[in-house]
Amino acid sequence: MKCKKVTALLLVAAMTASMLVGCGGGGGETTETTGTTGETTASGDSGDSAEAPVASGDITEFSMFITMPGKEKNDDNEIMQMIAEKTGVKVKETWLTGQTAEEATGTLIAGGEYPDYLDTDDMSQLVDAGALIPLDEYIDQYPEFRDTWFTPEEWEKFRQPDGHIYWINPFGNTYGESKTTTHNDEAFWIQVRVLEWAGYPDIQTMDEYFDLLESYIAANPTMEDGTENIAYTILCEDWRYFCLENAGQFLAGYPNDGSVIVNKETMTIEDYNTSEDTIKYFRKLNEEYQKGFVDPESFTQTYDEYIAKLSTGRVLGMVDQWWDFAYTVNDVFKQQGLDQKGCNYVPLGLTTERGMENRWHTYDDTVNQASGIAISVDCKDPDKAFKFLVDVCMDQELHDLRFWGVEGVDYLVDDDGLYYRTDEMRMNWTNTSYQASHKCDYSYFPQWGGTHWDGKNAMKSEEQPSEFMSDMAEPLRKCFEAYGVTTYPGMIGSIVEQNAAWFPMYSYSNNFTTATPGGTAWALMGECKHEWLPKVVMAPDFEQGWEEYMTAYNACKPEDFLAEMQAILDTFK
């Protein structure tokens, strides 16, 4: 949580409180709600932002395309309809299927017709194609949203060369006190059944991690039903090859700047692709592959095949980001009882040597300016579309519907005002049919983590401390108790520190284009790594494989890319 954001939130809270006193407001929930004129008013009841239900004929259905895999909602989804009746807006989300994100964005541009909302990893291309409307004036119409969602400095990071802001990143914002229970970032993950079998050992290094996987496989080659265990798998499809390529920066103790390492002592950019820690990492993967402990399908499997494989419970470990697998896989585990067999994954903060600091977990909010939600030039009603974008995060009742569900159906409230679920409610929440017909989180619209505006609950059910523990399978609970932690970040044990002003550097490099030498080098480096790193892992002779890879890598002129990244870093000196 950033200090300036805290200040802004306190100011808004103070203003709202004073307005409530003047209006004779009671002790109910306090929310800021926005009228049709764009002026924001305060309400003592989070349900007052819409004076009356919206007539079905007044509901606008917007379309949205997201270049990520996702789950389609039924057209008659119950919470979607409740949100529509309150706001006059319904959004039909479509997700990436059968194409890469780049291909899908290119297809949209070539066709020249766009959905109302867009969230892609190729925003710069859409701006260049004239596909997006500037959001500056809309942002200023909603000062409470503007002043709490980002600081002025953060908003400026989204401003494009033409002076406009075209998209808003919907993630990574904490309201009030952080209540983080999950590690949403990258890690070496391992199943709790492996740790339990080994007596919950202290695993700090990459070598210790793979030694444990080898030992477990030797003693437990199959699951109880005879399914063959897989020690370690790797996802390499399309942009997700980060699961293979960037662990070296973390193993060296650096945070996820993604595309480079920043040496804070010298304020210089370093290339993690050629670092000693990265070489050790790939040498280890090569060794494990030659021994047969790396899944031979790693370099050919699709994302869907990877998720299906994890969902069987047979994969002991992998590197990935929590958001890339857990929301789907954990639901399957719970539905099939695999969570009770110890198949849930926990993160380990590994380094190349024992005793090193690790920075796998980021405690501050992370502003990724490279992507977000945008409104297209073909949007049927940009004013209403932007107002909805604000309403679903600034109206607490709407936020509750998205991330808690319907009171009395999906959660209950105890005498102290704390939200909780029954076992049946928790099981429903993970059921795919129930999700399609009832749950509607509008997952790529702005959303808060942290503390509910009532000051008691968490913004999201998975961050409610009591709910987090109640929903935990016994093997996972035993693992946490064995290591003396209560959250996933506790398992990581990363250094607690504030993000640097430039963090993360990938939010700059992700917007590079081939219009500059550095951008061209960046594109070529990505293609080179995607082609060569699997070859390095599978090479019969690692040293020869690495040397051939470095020849191809250096031909991409990475020095041009590093120079442009250094120029960006220099602006923070």
Side-chain angles (χ1 to χ4, degrees):
M1 188 66 182
K2 304 167 187 66
C3 293
K4 291 185 179 179
K5 188 175 292 182
V6 171
T7 302
L9 290 169
L10 291 174
L11 286 171
V12 171
M15 291 171 61
T16 304
S18 64
M19 293 175 71
L20 283 172
V21 171
C23 296
E29 295 178 357
T30 301
T31 68
E32 295 83 10
T33 60
T34 313
T36 56
T37 62
E39 295 180 356
T40 301
T41 58
S43 166
D45 180 356
S46 63
D48 288 348
S49 60
E51 288 82 2
V54 177
S56 59
D58 295 330
I59 293 175
T60 303
E61 182 166 321
F62 290 114
S63 57
M64 182 176 185
F65 179 61
I66 305 150
T67 56
M68 289 281 287
K71 299 175 182 177
E72 298 284 342
K73 298 287 190 289
N74 296 349
D75 290 339
D76 60 351
N77 179 283
E78 293 168 342
I79 291 179
M80 181 188 296
Q81 187 60 34
M82 294 175 70
I83 293 174
E85 291 171 358
K86 185 173 173 63
T87 63
V89 170
K90 189 175 183 179
V91 182
K92 178 64 175 178
E93 300 164 305
T94 56
W95 305 84
L96 187 69
T97 55
Q99 289 180 302
T100 66
E102 185 177 6
E103 289 169 347
T105 304
T107 300
L108 284 173
I109 293 172
E113 295 182 358
Y114 305 97
D116 299 290
Y117 294 107
L118 285 159
D119 191 312
T120 84
D121 288 328
D122 297 288
M123 288 298 190
S124 295
Q125 288 188 47
L126 291 167
V127 172
D128 293 342
L132 308 180
I133 65 169
L135 300 180
D136 314 63
E137 293 183 5
Y138 295 99
I139 293 168
D140 287 337
Q141 287 178 24
Y142 299 89
E144 278 73 17
F145 172 73
R146 178 196 62 204
D147 296 341
T148 57
W149 195 251
F150 291 131
T151 66
E153 295 81 6
E154 289 168 345
W155 280 116
E156 284 303 307
K157 290 184 177 182
F158 288 84
R159 200 170 299 283
Q160 299 304 295
D162 66 1
H164 292 299
I165 295 172
Y166 290 93
W167 62 84
I168 298 169
N169 196 288
F171 306 118
N173 264 326
T174 301
Y175 191 92
E177 179 187 359
S178 173
K179 290 183 176 291
T180 299
T181 54
T182 58
H183 170 67
N184 201 43
D185 305 323
E186 194 164 338
F188 276 89
W189 299 87
I190 192 168
Q191 290 185 327
V192 295
R193 62 176 171 141
V194 179
L195 296 172
E196 181 179 16
W197 171 83
Y200 304 109
D202 176 26
I203 304 297
Q204 296 185 25
T205 70
M206 173 180 60
D207 288 342
E208 292 167 349
Y209 174 83
F210 281 107
D211 286 347
L212 176 55
L213 295 184
E214 289 185 30
S215 298
Y216 185 88
I217 286 287
N220 305 274
T222 66
M223 300 178 71
E224 291 178 359
D225 63 1
T227 303
E228 184 179 359
N229 283 319
I230 298 172
Y232 188 83
T233 196
I234 308 170
L235 176 60
C236 296
E237 186 187 30
D238 195 28
W239 55 271
R240 287 186 173 88
Y241 81 110
F242 67 78
C243 298
L244 169 66
E245 69 93 20
N246 72 353
Q249 65 181 327
F250 297 106
L251 290 168
Y254 289 94
N256 189 22
D257 272 302
S259 53
V260 293
I261 285 173
V262 176
N263 186 321
K264 290 184 179 181
E265 294 183 0
T266 61
M267 281 297 286
T268 55
I269 293 291
E270 297 178 3
D271 188 356
Y272 70 76
N273 295 290
T274 58
S275 72
E276 286 302 314
D277 293 281
T278 293
I279 295 172
K280 289 178 182 178
Y281 164 63
F282 282 105
R283 182 180 286 113
K284 188 64 179 179
L285 286 184
N286 177 272
E287 175 187 324
E288 295 299 320
Y289 184 86
Q290 301 305 327
K291 290 180 179 179
F293 291 104
V294 173
D295 178 12
E297 296 177 349
S298 290
F299 308 118
T300 57
Q301 64 188 343
T302 66
Y303 175 72
D304 288 343
E305 290 168 342
Y306 165 80
I307 290 297
K309 187 176 293 181
L310 295 187
S311 298
T312 65
R314 61 193 292 238
V315 178
L316 307 184
M318 72 285 178
V319 167
D320 203 346
Q321 301 253 359
W322 169 270
W323 52 260
D324 198 36
F325 75 93
Y327 297 108
T328 299
V329 171
N330 286 353
D331 285 353
V332 176
F333 285 170
K334 191 172 185 64
Q335 289 291 317
Q336 297 185 356
L338 290 169
D339 57 340
Q340 299 297 335
K341 297 182 182 297
C343 291
N344 283 121
Y345 295 98
V346 291
L348 299 177
L350 305 183
T351 53
T352 52
E353 303 293 337
R354 288 186 70 86
M356 293 172 61
E357 294 180 346
N358 90 74
R359 292 174 174 80
W360 287 88
H361 186 76
T362 301
Y363 293 89
D364 271 355
D365 292 345
T366 299
V367 180
N368 177 10
Q369 71 222 40
S371 65
I373 186 170
I375 298 174
S376 82
V377 292
D378 290 337
C379 180
K380 57 181 67 72
D381 189 341
D383 294 286
K384 195 171 187 178
F386 192 88
K387 182 180 184 299
F388 181 74
L389 183 153
V390 173
D391 285 346
V392 292
C393 70
M394 297 300 287
D395 183 319
Q396 185 67 71
E397 182 180 338
L398 293 177
H399 204 276
D400 281 358
L401 282 171
R402 293 169 65 195
F403 297 105
W404 277 97
V406 179
E407 183 180 347
V409 177
D410 301 303
Y411 70 97
L412 301 171
V413 184
D414 69 15
D415 293 340
D416 295 322
L418 292 176
Y419 295 178
Y420 70 97
R421 286 187 170 134
T422 65
D423 289 341
E424 181 181 3
M425 290 172 176
R426 296 185 192 107
M427 188 63 73
N428 285 340
W429 205 246
T430 65
N431 182 279
T432 53
S433 296
Y434 190 82
Q435 291 171 352
S437 65
H438 179 77
K439 182 181 178 183
C440 180
D441 53 13
Y442 284 134
S443 57
Y444 277 74
F445 278 82
Q447 56 194 259
W448 295 104
T451 306
H452 196 286
W453 290 3
D454 64 10
K456 300 177 181 179
N457 291 289
M459 283 288 193
K460 298 182 178 181
S461 57
E462 64 265 27
E463 294 189 348
Q464 188 88 326
S466 58
E467 190 59 30
F468 176 70
M469 297 301 294
S470 296
D471 197 34
M472 192 177 294
E474 186 62 22
L476 185 58
R477 187 195 312 277
K478 288 170 58 179
C479 178
F480 276 31
E481 290 174 352
Y483 288 102
V485 302
T486 57
T487 65
Y488 286 94
M491 289 293 301
I492 286 274
S494 291
I495 294 296
V496 180
E497 60 186 9
Q498 285 191 318
N499 291 338
W502 59 80
F503 184 86
M505 291 298 288
Y506 66 75
S507 65
Y508 299 97
S509 56
N510 281 0
N511 274 332
F512 276 20
T513 70
T514 54
T516 67
T520 299
W522 175 236
L524 292 173
M525 289 160 60
E527 293 171 2
C528 178
K529 288 191 287 184
H530 208 164
E531 174 186 356
W532 275 93
L533 289 177
K535 295 178 181 179
V536 166
V537 175
M538 295 185 290
D541 184 329
F542 173 77
E543 301 303 332
Q544 180 180 344
W546 186 262
E547 183 179 350
E548 292 172 353
Y549 163 51
M550 283 292 98
T551 299
Y553 181 78
N554 290 326
C556 300
K557 303 187 71 173
E559 64 273 12
D560 290 344
F561 167 70
L562 298 172
E564 290 187 19
M565 293 297 282
Q566 183 66 52
I568 293 171
L569 181 63
D570 288 344
T571 65
F572 294 95
K573 289 183 177 179

